[in-house]
C-alpha cells in the first residue's frame, strides 16, 4: 500500500469500528477529575474512574506536587543512570516497596511499562546457565500489559514457554505445574492480576502462594486495581486475602488509587530489583517519573499510612452502593471491590443505559463483547472514597429512573 491507500484503508476500518458500535469515544471533561465532574456544562457523578481514594484532585496531593515542582523542577530530562537521580525517587521506591510488603522497588513510567519490563528484563539472560527453558504461567484474563510483557519476552528470550491457565483455575494450574515437574525449567513464574478489572474479582492468592512454594516458582502479582484499595490498611489484594508479605514480585500503578497521575513500579527482593535496574529496557531507555508525580505519590502513601480512615470510607461507600443497587433490583457481580459490574445482557442495552444515565447526571461506561463474554454486557461502576452519600444517592436515583424507563428493573 502507498501512504494514501493506507490512510483510506484506515478510514474504512474506523468506519467499520463505528458500525460495530465498538468505537471508543472520549467524553470531554470541563473540570478536574474527581468524584463529580462537569460534562456539557452539567455536574455529573463520576462512576468510571480509578480514582478510588479521591486523590486525583485532593488539596494535599496538589500541594505536595506544587512544592516538588519548586524544589525539584519539572523533569529530569533523561534516565537516572545518565543524568542523576533525585532523593525523592529513591524515597518513593523505598516507600512503595514497604507499602506492598516487599524488600525493594524500582519506578517505571507506568505499570504498563513495568510489566513489559519485568519478564524480558529477567529472563533474557543466561545467568550462567547454558541450555535452559523458562516457563510463565499466566491467568488468561490478565491485563494487556502482562500479556504484552510475555509476548515481548518470548520475542527476545525465545526459550521462554508461555503457559496460560483458565481464569483463576488453580486446579488446572496445579495440574499444569505437575505435568511440568520433570521438564526442569530453569525459572518458573506464575503471573496474575491481583484484582481483575472486568469483574472486580480477586485472584486466589493464598492458593497461588502455596502452588508457587510447592513448585519453586516465582509469584508475580500486578495489583494495580487494589494498591491503596483492598485490605484494612489498603495494602492490596494480598492483605485482603491474608498473604501480605508473601508475594515474590508485586507490580502496580500510581495512576489509580495512589494519586491517579501516572507511574508504575516493580517491587520484590533486592537482587531482583537491582538486576532490573541494570536490565529493564523501559527503565534504562525511557525517562523516569516527573518529580511532581513522585512527590504526589509519596504524599498519597503518607495519607493512607497515617490515616486509614480514607480506606474505611472507600469500603463503606462500596458496601453502601453494592447493597442499594441490588435493592433497586439490578443484578451485579457480588464481591467487595469498588468495581461494581451491573449486568445488563445485551450490548445495545448497556450503550443506551450509559447514554441515558449521563443525561440524568451519572458518568458511567459500558463494557460488552469482546471485552466481556457475549450476553454479559454491563455497566461498570467504580466507587470512590470521595463520593458523598448524597452523590451516591443521586446516582442511585438515576439508576432507578433509567432502569425503569428501559425495562431493566
Ligand atoms: C491499569 C492497569 C495497568 C496499567 O497501569 P498504567 O500505570 O496506567 O500503565 C496495568 N495493569 C493492570 C492490572 C491495570 O489495571
Amino acid at each position: 500500500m502507498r501512504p494514501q491507500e493506507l490512510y483510506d484503508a484506515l478510514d474504512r476500518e474506523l468506519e467499520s469500528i463505528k458500525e460495530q458500535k465498538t468505537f471508543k469515544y472520549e467524553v470531554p471533561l470541563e473540570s478536574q477529575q474527581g468524584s463529580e465532574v462537569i460534562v456539557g456544562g452539567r455536574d455529573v457523578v463520576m462512576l468510571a474512574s480509578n480514582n478510588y481514594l479521591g486523590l486525583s484532585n485532593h488539596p494535599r496531593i496538589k500541594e505536595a506536587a506544587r512544592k516538588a515542582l519548586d524544589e525539584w523542577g519539572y523533569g529530569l530530562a533523561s534516565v537516572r543512570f545518565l543524568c542523576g537521580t533525585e532523593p525523592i525517587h529513591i524515597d518513593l521506591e523505598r516507600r512503595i516497596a514497604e507499602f506492598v510488603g516487599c524488600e525493594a522497588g524500582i519506578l517505571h513510567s507506568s505499570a504498563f511499562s513495568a510489566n513489559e519490563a519485568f519478564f524480558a528484563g529477567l529472563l533474557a539472560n543466561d545467568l550462567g546457565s547454558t541450555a535452559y527453558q523458562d516457563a510463565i504461567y499466566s491467568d488468561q484474563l490478565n491485563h494487556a500489559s502482562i500479556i504484552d510483557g510475555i509476548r515481548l519476552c518470548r520475542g527476545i528470550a525465545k526459550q521462554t514457554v508461555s503457559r496460560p491457565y483458565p481464569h483463576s483455575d488453580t486446579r488446572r494450574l496445579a495440574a499444569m505445574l505437575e505435568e511440568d515437574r520433570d521438564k526442569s525449567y530453569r525459572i518458573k513464574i506464575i503471573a496474575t492480576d491481583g484484582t481483575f478489572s472486568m469483574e472486580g474479582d480477586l485472584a486466589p492468592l493464598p492458593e497461588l502462594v502455596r502452588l508457587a512454594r510447592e513448585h519453586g516458582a516465582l509469584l508475580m502479582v500486578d495489583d494495580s486495581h487494589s494498591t491503596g484499595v483492598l485490605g484494612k490498611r489498603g495494602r492490596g489484594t494480598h492483605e485482603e486475602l491474608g498473604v501480605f508479605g508473601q508475594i515474590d514480585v508485586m507490580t502496580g500503578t500510581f495512576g489509580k488509587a495512589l494519586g491517579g497521575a501516572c507511574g508504575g513500579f516493580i517491587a520484590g527482593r533486592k537482587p531482583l530489583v537491582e538486576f532490573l535496574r541494570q536490565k529493564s529496557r523501559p527503565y534504562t531507555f525511557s525517562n523516569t517519573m516527573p518529580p511532581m508525580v513522585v512527590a504526589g505519590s509519596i504524599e498519597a502513601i503518607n495519607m493512607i499510612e497515617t490515616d486509614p480512615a480514607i480506606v474505611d470510607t472507600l469500603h463503606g461507600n462500596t458496601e453502601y452502593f453494592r447493597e442499594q443497587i441490588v435493592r433497586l433490583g439490578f443484578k451485579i457481580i457480588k464481591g467487595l471491590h469498588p468495581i461494581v459490574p451491573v449486568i445488563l445482557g445485551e450490548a445495545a442495552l448497556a450503550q443506551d443505559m450509559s447514554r441515558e444515565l449521563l443525561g440524568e447526571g451519572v458518568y458511567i461506561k459500558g463494557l460488552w463483547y469482546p471485552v466481556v463474554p457475549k450476553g454479559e454486557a454491563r455497566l461498570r461502576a467504580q466507587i470512590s472514597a470521595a463520593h458523598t452519600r448524597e452523590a451516591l444517592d443521586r446516582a442511585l436515583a438515576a439508576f432507578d429512573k433509567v432502569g425503569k424507563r428501559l425495562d431493566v428493573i
Side-chain angles (χ1 to χ4, degrees), residues 8 10 35 121 135 137 182 190 194 247 267 297 301 308-309 352 367 377 388 408:
D8 292 343
L10 296 180
S35 56
Y137 304 82
D182 32 322
I190 300 172
I247 312 296
S297 305
I301 295 174
D352 290 346
L367 302 168
T388 60
V408 179

Side-chain angles (χ1 to χ4, degrees), residues 206-386:
E207 182 61 10
L208 293 180
V209 167
R210 199 189 65 71
L211 284 172
R213 295 240 169 98
E214 183 186 336
H215 293 273
L218 210 58
L219 177 58
M220 179 267 206
V221 176
D222 172 357
D223 215 14
S224 287
H225 272 288
S226 287
T227 307
V229 173
L230 289 185
K232 268 200 169 18
R233 300 173 302 152
R235 301 306 174 91
T237 312
H238 53 346
E239 185 193 5
E240 181 68 44
L241 298 178
V243 288
F244 183 80
Q246 298 178 45
I247 312 296
D248 300 297
V249 180
M250 296 285 296
T251 67
T253 185
F254 298 105
K256 290 187 170 116
L258 299 182
C262 65
F265 63 88
I266 304 169
R269 291 288 302 279
K270 251 194 196 121
L272 178 101
V273 166
E274 291 317 309
F275 185 76
L276 289 172
R277 215 180 282 289
Q278 301 302 314
K279 295 290 185 180
S280 156
R281 289 166 68 83
Y283 181 83
T284 44
F285 293 104
S286 178
N287 266 15
T288 190
M289 292 169 64
M292 285 176 290
V293 178
V294 171
S297 305
I298 293 173
E299 187 65 359
I301 295 174
N302 288 340
M303 287 176 67
I304 302 167
E305 283 188 349
T306 54
D307 184 12
I310 191 169
V311 178
D312 285 341
T313 306
L314 171 62
H315 296 172
N317 281 355
T318 300
E319 210 171 305
Y320 179 73
F321 186 84
R322 282 179 170 273
E323 272 169 22
Q324 296 303 313
I325 193 94
V326 168
R327 225 172 48 93
L328 291 178
F330 287 96
K331 189 180 155 214
I332 64 169
I333 296 178
K334 288 214 170 67
L336 40 79
H337 198 274
I339 293 172
V340 186
V342 181
I343 303 295
L344 295 168
E346 292 315 309
L349 181 58
Q351 286 161 2
D352 290 346
M353 182 123 181
S354 152
R355 197 185 50 245
E356 301 224 356
L357 277 168
L358 186 58
E360 297 292 338
V362 178
Y363 187 122
I364 189 165
K365 283 283 184 177
L367 302 168
W368 44 82
Y369 183 81
V371 184
V372 297
K374 269 209 170 92
E376 291 184 32
R378 64 195 64 176
L379 297 180
R380 179 176 62 174
Q382 293 175 279
I383 306 305
S384 170

Side-chain angles (χ1 to χ4, degrees), residues 110-112 115 143 145 193 222 224-225 253 256 263:
S110 67
F112 203 107
N115 285 338
H143 190 263
S145 54
D193 285 17
D222 172 357
S224 287
H225 272 288
T253 185
K256 290 187 170 116

